[in-house]
Amino acid sequence: MTTEDILELIKNTDRYNFHSHTQFCDGRYSMAEMAEAAAGKFDIWGFSPHSPISQPTPCNMSFEDMDAYLAEASRLKEKYNGKMQVLTSLEIDYMSEDFGPHIDYFQNLPLDYRLASVHFVPNQEGVWLDCDGRFERFAEYLKDGYKGDLRYVTEKYFEQVIRMLELGGFEILGHFDKIAGNAAIADPEIENQGWYEALVDDVISHAQTAGVIVEVNTKSLADKNRYFPASRWWGKLKHSGLPVMFNSDAHYTDKVNAGRPEAIKAFKEL
């Protein structure tokens, strides 16, 4: 499925979600339970477990589970045929030029589309640390892993996003400023800095060149009162002409549509 194919699917409907997680990664419910919760609310539902990666992690699916995941996705496609279009994907972690959505392993999987994100940022010694998730863990990594250098972590995160865009191999760019979820707690002024805004501009420019769809990730509206990318950057997205989609990044059955109606309304009203 190409970027154009995806845009054709969603051009006349808001009843879609291309980003969700289940028992195969850090989701809390089975694929069948998530599909049941989505049915009736969505015309298009995409499964996108955190991809296997090149180091052990409790949040990503294992390489060994790939066949089981693809088989269950195929079963659910058949079950909901005619009621809801079920799509098969992965949220593929970019780690390095040797591991990301562009490599043969991910390109050869029978996926309907590929959603790509950055969660891991190497420290000054090259050790990869997960910068997503609980702030308490991030604060420990910042102090002990990154030598307290918040700007280093933030700039390196965006550097990873930009390199991922340059290498390509995916259709949807996931939550491109997710580092701000923790960085803005460590320093509430960080998103007001000129250097930070310049990084956002650089990502948008590279996304234009790459020809991808930019995801507005809505799941943090209820608990953090924000989106990724932050709503302050939405004007830049509109001005850029980049195609935008709204995904809930659901990990729970009661969150399948979390934040999406509010985000879609606010974006349209800009």
Side-chain angles (χ1 to χ4, degrees), residues 89-105:
S89 182
L90 292 171
E91 181 178 10
I92 304 173
D93 266 297
Y94 176 79
M95 302 287 289
S96 70
E97 297 195 7
D98 296 324
F99 196 94
H102 60 288
I103 68 172
D104 288 346
Y105 174 78

Side-chain angles (χ1 to χ4, degrees), residues 117-139:
S117 302
V118 171
H119 299 92
F120 294 83
V121 177
N123 69 9
Q124 293 89 333
E125 282 72 46
V127 177
W128 293 85
L129 300 174
D130 185 353
C131 290
D132 200 10
R134 294 182 300 107
F135 175 73
E136 293 77 14
R137 183 182 66 175
F138 176 80

